[in-house]
Amino acid sequence: LQGPDAVESQCQVCGEPLAHDLVYCASCHTPHHRECWEYFGGCSTYACGQKRYVTRSPRRRKAS
């Protein structure tokens, strides 16, 4: 995938493909495996610091 709307294809914690049991950072929306989120203790994105996640991918508004 390319472009600004591309989703990471690998977990930033374990490096495995993001294919199942995903959670998304409540602030920056970075996807993680649920197990990796719990292991890391929050979002793994540098300087994000969020401790809460959501279970559905946030929808982005399309520019009209």
Side-chain angles (χ1 to χ4, degrees):
L1 298 173
Q2 296 179 359
D5 293 332
V7 175
E8 295 86 8
S9 60
Q10 294 179 312
C11 177
Q12 294 182 153
V13 177
C14 70
E16 295 295 319
L18 290 166
H20 64 285
D21 198 21
L22 301 180
V23 296
Y24 301 85
C25 175
S27 294
C28 72
H29 314 295
T30 299
H32 295 74
H33 295 116
R34 182 184 313 265
E35 183 178 338
C36 293
W37 180 281
E38 292 169 0
Y39 170 80
F40 198 76
C43 183
S44 65
T45 299
Y46 180 75
C48 178
Q50 180 62 258
K51 301 296 182 194
R52 293 180 339 159
Y53 63 79
V54 294
T55 56
R56 290 188 176 204
S57 178
R59 295 183 182 184
R60 293 183 181 216
R61 280 190 191 165
K62 290 186 177 183
S64 351

